[in-house]
Amino acid sequence: RARQEERRREVTSMAASSAAAASSSTAASSTPPAVALIADGLYLGSTACVDSSALAALGVTHLVNVTVDSPQPEGGFESMRVPVKDDLHEPLHEHLEAAAGFIHNAVEPPANGRVCVFCATGKSAAPAVLCYYLMRQRATSLAAALAAVEAAWPGARPNVGFWQRLVEAESWLHGVEQPSISVQQFRWQHIERAFSDKVRPDAQGEERDAQREELLRMLLAAQAEASELLRQKTEWKGAS
């Protein structure tokens, strides 16, 4: 538990440092780096930017490839594949415990390695895996895990299906009845951020009406997404 508490503080500190660095640069706030440091020993990337030489320069020793068929980078890395697509119905939760175990064994003694978790875009599946790992092995809340990932990789937003599984995991990992950030809160944050990029406070007439129509469209899409998820939801309880 002492080790977990130390790790939890590291994650919180890393998130705060990353957020401060991002706020100091307009470019950094909107564009993620090629490979982002999430916490001690943990990196996030996408298939487009995961390059063998760049990974080697960072000291990365292990890879978690969260795609169905994207090739593994060459270079002698120890690798694990999580064969899921970025779709809210994909059974990512069936692989989370194994992925967390792989990452834990890679970064902790005696291996003391560094892991890069990547997916097609770096926005959904890989961040979900990292959020689960941070909850599982570093005793963070789901909200704190998301904050750490988002601070280093702007735009990281697991899809609502993956998020529902993370909410369930937080419940049985930490014994909480109320999630630190619910599916509804998560979706509303996403809508607020997406919509704020398109809103002009001084909009009038047709432009203002178009903004309202866009917000309504996003809200209806989120409602339909959540309804479909609940309709198909199956119970999942991982190892506590």
Side-chain angles (χ1 to χ4, degrees):
R1 285 194 174 276
R3 178 66 169 170
Q4 277 195 332
E5 179 60 23
E6 178 184 353
R7 288 296 205 179
R8 186 193 63 77
R9 288 196 298 267
E10 288 175 0
V11 172
T12 303
S13 175
M14 181 69 73
S17 298
S18 296
S23 65
S24 67
S25 167
T26 302
S29 67
S30 59
T31 305
V35 178
L37 177 64
I38 303 301
D40 185 33
L42 297 177
Y43 292 85
L44 170 63
S46 68
T47 54
C49 63
V50 172
D51 173 80
S52 296
S53 58
L55 293 171
L58 292 170
V60 171
T61 55
H62 296 67
L63 300 174
V64 179
N65 182 345
V66 195
T67 70
V68 174
D69 53 14
S70 292
Q72 301 281 21
E74 298 179 355
F77 304 102
E78 290 190 42
S79 301
M80 172 186 182
R81 184 182 293 277
V82 177
V84 298
K85 296 178 289 186
D86 181 15
D87 182 277
L88 66 91
H89 302 303
E90 284 284 284
L92 178 65
H93 60 288
E94 296 178 1
H95 306 276
L96 289 175
E97 191 65 19
F102 178 86
I103 296 170
H104 182 71
N105 291 335
V107 300
E108 296 295 328
N112 294 314
R114 297 180 181 179
V115 182
C116 179
V117 183
F118 69 95
C119 61
T121 64
K123 292 183 178 181
S124 182
V129 170
L130 283 166
C131 283
Y132 180 82
Y133 169 78
L134 292 173
M135 287 195 296
R136 182 76 168 97
Q137 300 294 352
R138 304 200 179 181
T140 66
S141 68
L142 180 52
L146 178 65
V149 173
E150 284 187 316
W153 191 278
R157 303 296 291 177
N159 72 51
V160 70
F162 296 166
W163 192 260
Q164 174 63 39
R165 296 307 190 180
L166 292 174
V167 167
E168 294 168 10
E170 183 179 38
S171 173
W172 50 258
L173 281 173
H174 300 325
V176 296
E177 293 185 3
Q178 296 296 324
S180 56
I181 176 170
S182 69
V183 172
Q184 292 80 6
Q185 291 170 325
F186 173 74
R187 288 297 286 127
W188 181 248
Q189 283 185 9
H190 175 69
I191 290 171
E192 282 185 318
R193 292 179 185 181
F195 191 65
S196 65
D197 293 337
K198 304 175 182 179
V199 169
R200 287 185 53 231
D202 59 344
Q204 299 293 327
E206 292 184 0
E207 184 180 5
R208 181 185 59 192
D209 292 341
Q211 289 180 1
R212 289 175 174 173
E213 287 293 328
E214 177 64 8
L215 177 58
L216 179 60
R217 183 196 66 76
M218 295 171 73
L219 288 170
L220 290 175
Q223 183 182 36
E225 193 176 54
S227 297
E228 176 67 9
L229 178 66
L230 290 172
R231 187 178 69 81
Q232 299 194 16
K233 181 177 177 292
T234 57
E235 185 178 11
W236 172 53
K237 291 182 179 179
S240 58

